[in-house]
């Protein structure tokens, strides 16, 4: 039987009985059994395709979601299978949102797929678990910290950044110490956005010892967002630093340090920026002026 609005309505009304805790158990179980027996893998695929086709019709989406709730793991498996084969961004976003909206039962199934052989499946599962924002999933997520494909590790950084708590920050700091520069840059950005005070020493170490100018630039911006005294002193050093060697990179770092100072917004950072308004370099003067305006607003 093809899926259409009438079929959706029939199964939707059975799903309401199946999920209604006020009904006696026999009625609920009978409704659950009917739905689960009515949906083989092929029909689940058709249901998912139909819901994607009607993604902009919430009245259909809400009914399908109730059916997914009753089907449980089998619906999640079907959506993950579809997610893994789709190249359509809108489809993928819709499926990820559907799985997230199913909540804990779906997340428990998603964990299983972290051991899949396909890197893109694992990346998708990390995305979903990031939006779960639950520390209890960290032991499963952490196992991927040395995953060979860089695309998975980049997604791992994003996932850890979305999960609140000290353990996530600890894992990010661990990645900062061992990762390649491409991922280090993302880690530093994340630690800055999360204002992780414990990361300041590690970020300063990258600023001082890493020769990659983009890492240094990201480190300066992150220090500004974190904003403690050690961060401020390093920003001051780089903002005022002049050299005859490698002038182009030095200017990039000076401008980034000034931008970082604007994030701190205290009397000392304001004083430093005021002194830079008199700098001999017009770009430095303009950046310092703009940053002062941000502080004073």
């Amino acid at each position: 039987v093809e899926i259409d609005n009438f079929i959706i309505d029939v199964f939707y009304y059975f799903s309401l009985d199946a999920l209604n805790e006020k009904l006696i158990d026999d009625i609920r179980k009978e409704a659950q059994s009917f739905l689960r027996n009515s949906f083989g893998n092929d029909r689940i695929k058709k249901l998912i395709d139909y819901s994607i086709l009607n993604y902009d019709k919430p009245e259909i989406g809400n009914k399908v979601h109730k059916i997914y709730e009753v089907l449980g793991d089998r619906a999640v498996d079907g959506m993950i299978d579809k997610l893994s084969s789709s190249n359509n961004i809108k489809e993928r976003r819709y499926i990820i949102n559907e799985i997230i909206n199913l909540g804990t039962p779906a997340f428990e199934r998603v964990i299983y797929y972290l051991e899949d052989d396909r890197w893109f499946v694992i990346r998708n599962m990390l995305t979903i678990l990031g939006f779960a924002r639950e520390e209890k999933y960290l032991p499963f997520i952490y196992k991927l910290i040395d995953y060979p494909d860089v695309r998975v590790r980049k997604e791992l950084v994003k996932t850890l950044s979305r999960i609140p708590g000290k353990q996530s920050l600890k894992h990010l700091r661990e990645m900062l110490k061992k990762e390649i520069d491409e991922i280090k840059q993302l880690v530093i950005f994340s630690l800055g956005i999360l204002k992780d005070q414990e990361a300041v020493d590690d970020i300063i170490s990258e600023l001082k010892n890493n020769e990659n100018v983009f890492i240094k630039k990201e480190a300066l911006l992150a220090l500004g967002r974190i904003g403690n005294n050690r961060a401020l002193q390093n920003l001051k050093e780089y903002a005022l630093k002049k050299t005859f060697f490698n002038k182009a990179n030095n200017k990039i770092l000076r401008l980034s340090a000034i931008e970082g100072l604007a994030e701190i917004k205290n009397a000392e950072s304001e004083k430093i920026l005021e002194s830079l308004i008199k700098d001999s370099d017009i770009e430095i003067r303009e950046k310092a002026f703009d940053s002062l305006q941000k502080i004073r607003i």
Side-chain angles (χ1 to χ4, degrees):
V1 178
E2 293 299 322
I3 299 291
D4 57 25
N5 285 355
F6 174 76
I7 295 296
I8 293 291
D9 283 342
V10 171
F11 289 129
Y12 168 66
Y13 288 116
F14 273 96
S15 72
L16 293 180
D17 284 347
L19 296 167
N20 189 348
E21 296 183 358
K22 294 180 180 179
L23 291 177
I24 62 174
D25 284 347
D26 286 349
I27 294 177
R28 288 180 61 215
K29 289 178 181 177
E30 186 176 340
Q32 291 168 4
S33 178
F34 170 78
L35 270 175
R36 289 166 183 165
N37 290 334
S38 297
F39 278 88
N41 290 338
D42 287 342
R43 181 171 278 177
I44 289 175
K45 289 179 182 178
K46 290 179 180 179
L47 179 66
I48 293 167
D49 288 340
Y50 190 79
S51 65
I52 291 172
L53 187 65
N54 294 278
Y55 76 94
D56 58 343
K57 298 175 182 175
E59 68 278 6
I60 293 176
N62 292 336
K63 292 175 182 178
V64 171
H65 185 79
K66 290 295 182 183
I67 299 171
Y68 286 155
E69 284 188 60
V70 180
L71 295 177
D73 285 355
R74 291 171 59 212
V76 176
D77 288 343
M79 284 189 279
I80 289 174
D81 184 60
K82 181 69 175 180
L83 180 63
S84 302
S85 61
S86 176
N87 292 318
N88 185 296
I89 294 176
K90 287 184 178 178
E91 281 187 5
R92 291 161 58 82
R93 188 177 296 132
Y94 169 82
I95 295 168
I96 287 174
N97 286 338
E98 275 297 314
I99 295 173
I100 291 169
N101 289 335
L102 286 171
T104 299
F107 301 143
E108 299 294 335
R109 188 62 179 164
V110 163
I111 288 170
Y112 169 80
Y113 285 90
L114 289 177
E115 297 183 6
D116 197 277
D117 293 332
R118 297 163 293 178
W119 70 267
F120 52 90
V121 173
I122 296 173
R123 184 179 65 178
N124 289 333
M125 299 307 101
L126 284 172
T127 300
I128 292 167
L129 290 173
F131 286 106
R133 304 180 192 278
E134 293 277 356
E135 276 192 293
K136 65 182 178 181
Y137 300 125
L138 283 176
F140 304 98
I141 294 168
Y142 178 75
K143 292 179 182 179
L144 298 168
I145 199 165
D146 294 315
Y147 194 85
D149 195 298
V150 68
R151 291 165 290 191
V152 169
R153 301 202 310 277
K154 286 173 77 172
E155 193 62 36
L156 176 60
V157 174
K158 297 175 186 176
T159 297
L160 290 171
S161 300
R162 292 184 179 116
I163 299 175
K166 293 182 178 180
Q167 196 62 38
S168 295
L169 294 172
K170 180 181 177 183
H171 293 334
L172 285 170
R173 292 195 298 271
E174 179 182 344
M175 293 185 77
L176 179 57
K177 292 177 180 178
K178 63 195 287 189
E179 270 295 355
I180 60 174
D181 282 357
E182 181 181 359
I183 294 179
K184 277 187 177 185
Q185 191 171 349
L186 183 57
V187 173
I188 292 170
F189 170 81
S190 299
L191 290 169
I193 291 294
L194 296 169
K195 301 183 185 297
D196 181 23
Q197 297 286 329
E198 293 187 41
V200 168
D201 286 345
D202 293 331
I203 293 173
I204 290 173
S205 177
E206 292 296 328
L207 174 63
K208 301 287 187 182
N209 302 316
N210 195 313
E211 295 302 317
N212 186 326
V213 69
F214 297 105
I215 295 291
K216 290 178 177 291
K217 179 179 177 180
E218 200 64 64
L220 289 165
L221 296 174
L223 289 173
R225 294 182 183 113
I226 294 170
N228 65 15
N229 187 59
R230 286 207 66 210
L232 188 146
Q233 296 309 316
N234 278 271
L235 289 169
K236 177 181 179 180
E237 175 188 341
Y238 277 82
L240 299 175
K241 189 174 184 180
K242 295 184 179 182
T243 179
F244 291 105
F245 305 101
N246 207 350
K247 289 185 177 181
N249 280 354
N250 185 64
K251 181 184 283 190
I252 289 172
L253 298 181
R254 291 190 73 194
L255 291 170
S256 297
I258 291 169
E259 192 173 342
L261 286 166
E263 295 285 339
I264 295 178
K265 297 182 179 180
N266 65 17
E268 186 171 356
S269 64
E270 185 173 1
K271 184 178 179 181
I272 297 166
L273 291 171
E274 285 175 344
S275 71
L276 288 166
I277 290 178
K278 303 173 184 177
D279 196 88
S280 59
D281 189 302
I282 186 170
E283 286 186 67
I284 298 295
R285 295 199 303 270
E286 289 178 348
K287 189 72 171 181
F289 179 82
D290 291 342
S291 297
L292 268 175
Q293 303 316 302
K294 291 179 183 178
I295 289 178
R296 290 170 175 171
I297 289 175

